[in-house]
Amino acid sequence: MNPQATDAPRLDPRRAVPRTDAVLRDPRLREAAARLGEAPVKSAVRQAQERARQGAVPPGAVADTALALLPRTAGGLRAVLNATGVLLHTNLGRAPLSAAARQAVAEAAGPTDVELDLRTGVRARRGRTALAALRDRVPSAAAAHVVNNGAAALVLAATALAAGRDIVVSRGEMVEIGDGFRLPDLLVATGARLREVGTTNRTTPDDYAAALDDRTAFVLKVHPSNFRVTGFTRAADVTELAPLGVPVVVDIGSGLLAPHPLLPDEPDAETALRAGAALVTASGDKLLGGPQCGLLLGTRDIVRTLARHPLARALRVDKLTLAALEATLTGPATPTDEALTADPARLRQRAERLAHALAADGVDAHAVDSEATVGGGGAPGVTLPSAALSLPERYAAALRVGADPVVGRLTAGRCLLDLRTVPEPDDERLAAAVRSAPESAAGSASVSAAGSASASASASAGR
Ligand SMILES: *Cc1c(COP(=O)(O)O)cnc(C)c1O
């Protein structure tokens, strides 16, 4: 039975959109509120009302629309808008996939020819088209292999090439990637020995040369991707290490395949291989802008050794990853690249347009200049000029728990929504999320706000 038939909602006299309290009486929404909490349910209702006011759904379908906006479980993965200004935010899953990659994942989800040649009916090499696409983009790589992530690429290289032997590495490159993940620990766990050379700030080619002997498996170069050492420093580059006579393995981290004009200090696979590296390892979900995976690019012999090692099977990627990787490599610019190259003047225009529209609805919003960063996934120290929507601080929490969650950042007592990490077509989505930010955020907590701000905030909350 339709609960609204016995408990007719009071209608907004102007637009026939049912009021929030009436919609919230729907038993399905009451159940959802008990499960997920009041805030996301109210936010979903507000967003559904907004759609009804705009004529996108019939006024009678507000409760159904709100239900459809809610996650099925409180713990599930939720889609969020990344307005942090951090392009590769680890907590938000790093690189967002391109439309082409998402489409490819959807198509690959059913049975696919991942290991079958449809013309001959004979078993074929897994991921052959993705690997070919990778080699096309990195002409100096004679061969390529893909594993689960950057760490797995290092594990495979260390295990297959250096178990029981030495990896020679600079003391300045014994890095912690994040969340307690320390590269030296990972390498030692494979059974390889680490031979540390040089000092924290300075390591010369002679330091490496002096450490080489018949136990040396390879020299490892690691890109310090989340910090910078400045001042009295010296690091040996691949060109200086390649002539030493042992393979040079380069962990570039970020997954740039070729030099990027905006990131001159960020290492790339093609340059490292051309300089003489035998193997390059990288992540797929950093600056490459693809799915989580680990790329291994190098000489035919070394890549064959890795791909045939028993551990390779334990680290192999699934068909969804291969599909997304290939589409990323062959498709148009990724969202990560678009965020990286976005024009600051255009970002400012968008911020002003959004601020104007929201202020007209009574939200204390204005446009501000901002600085975005690439993130832990690469380019430490690089800031990208950006623009943001500035809102009262209390919006930060409200937007996170909304029906369509938005993650911003707090700066100087304001909640900033940085537009460099928000694709332009999502501007309306962002505005709708701000408008329907739960009452607790938009209406209360006005003690510290200026009078006009609190008045306008509660005006917007009353919509
Ligand atoms: C990110 C990173 C890794 C780890 O890669 P994951 O894909 O996160 O496993 C290893 N080395 C460097 C230099 C990195 O930047």
Side-chain angles (χ1 to χ4, degrees):
M1 192 174 76
N2 179 355
Q4 297 191 350
T6 52
D7 187 9
R10 281 176 46 205
L11 300 184
D12 176 326
R14 282 164 302 149
R15 296 189 185 135
V17 173
R19 289 166 42 126
T20 308
D21 51 358
V23 181
L24 284 173
R25 260 179 248 133
D26 186 303
R28 297 167 303 169
L29 288 170
R30 282 214 302 268
E31 182 275 326
R35 199 159 37 88
L36 304 168
E38 288 286 337
V41 175
K42 278 193 181 165
S43 164
V45 169
R46 256 182 227 108
Q47 230 163 307
Q49 289 168 319
E50 180 79 26
R51 290 189 192 178
R53 264 180 227 113
Q54 289 164 359
V57 298
V62 168
D64 288 343
T65 304
L67 271 170
L69 284 167
L70 287 169
R72 279 187 301 278
T73 65
L77 282 181
R78 307 274 314 270
V80 305
L81 267 175
N82 175 9
T84 62
V86 180
L87 271 59
L88 301 165
H89 200 299
T90 303
N91 302 158
L92 302 180
R94 289 196 189 148
L97 292 183
S98 64
R102 290 170 195 227
Q103 174 78 29
V105 167
E107 277 168 23
T112 66
D113 61 345
V114 66
E115 283 186 30
L116 184 72
D117 183 330
L118 291 174
R119 277 168 311 141
T120 61
V122 173
R123 181 171 193 161
R125 185 169 177 212
R126 187 183 179 84
R128 59 207 174 279
T129 50
L131 295 175
L134 199 47
R135 287 198 313 277
D136 277 355
R137 294 277 305 269
V138 188
S140 296
H145 184 66
V146 181
V147 291
N148 268 322
N149 53 29
L154 278 168
V155 163
L156 185 57
T159 310
L161 307 176
R165 301 179 67 201
D166 287 359
I167 297 173
V168 178
V169 61
S170 162
R171 290 199 166 87
E173 296 176 10
M174 311 270 285
V175 303
E176 175 171 323
I177 303 298
D179 198 24
F181 164 50
R182 295 182 167 170
L183 222 130
D185 296 347
L186 183 82
L187 294 171
V188 167
T190 68
R193 279 185 305 260
L194 283 190
R195 185 81 194 268
E196 302 170 33
V197 298
T199 60
T200 309
N201 55 329
R202 289 176 65 85
T203 306
T204 66
D206 287 347
D207 292 324
Y208 288 93
L212 302 185
D213 56 31
D214 53 10
R215 286 172 311 195
T216 307
F218 60 80
V219 164
L220 178 65
K221 283 282 298 172
V222 180
H223 177 51
S225 53
N226 50 11
F227 68 100
R228 277 198 310 183
V229 179
T230 57
F232 186 51
T233 63
R234 169 79 160 95
D237 61 33
V238 181
T239 329
E240 296 172 305
L241 298 176
L244 294 178
V246 296
V248 179
V249 176
V250 184
D251 174 16
I252 61 168
S254 75
L256 272 191
L257 300 181
H260 197 293
L262 288 178
L263 304 171
D265 296 331
E266 198 62 17
D268 68 276
E270 176 66 18
T271 303
L273 290 166
R274 215 177 267 179
L279 183 70
V280 167
T281 69
S283 297
D285 55 349
K286 294 183 181 171
L287 288 169
L288 178 63
Q292 177 189 301
C293 62
L295 312 178
L296 291 145
L297 296 153
T299 65
R300 215 174 294 279
D301 280 356
I302 287 188
V303 172
R304 190 184 298 123
T305 304
L306 302 180
R308 290 188 179 167
H309 191 278
L311 191 60
R313 174 59 195 249
L315 305 177
R316 83 172 188 185
V317 288
D318 78 334
K319 59 184 178 177
L320 302 182
T321 304
L322 291 167
L325 177 62
E326 182 175 350
T328 301
L329 291 165
T330 57
T334 63
T336 300
D337 205 48
E338 277 172 357
L340 194 58
T341 56
D343 173 18
R346 178 75 195 151
L347 297 174
R348 180 78 202 194
Q349 271 176 9
R350 289 170 55 198
E352 278 170 10
R353 203 172 51 78
L354 280 168
H356 189 76
L358 289 166
D361 287 338
V363 181
D364 169 18
H366 53 266
V368 294
D369 287 333
S370 164
E371 280 188 345
T373 55
V374 171
V382 173
T383 54
L384 305 160
S386 188
L389 194 61
S390 168
L391 299 168
E393 183 173 348
R394 59 185 182 273
Y395 271 87
L399 287 166
R400 280 200 314 274
V401 299
D404 192 11
V406 177
V407 184
R409 71 170 192 272
L410 289 175
T411 303
R414 299 284 291 180
C415 166
L416 298 193
L417 304 181
D418 195 306
L419 294 183
R420 192 176 274 278
T421 49
V422 177
E424 189 164 341
D426 281 337
D427 278 0
E428 280 317 307
R429 194 179 145 196
L430 188 69
V434 172
R435 285 198 190 96
S436 58
E439 226 152 60
S440 58
S444 62
S446 53
V447 189
S448 62
S452 61
S454 67
S456 59
S458 38
S460 90
R463 286 172 61 103

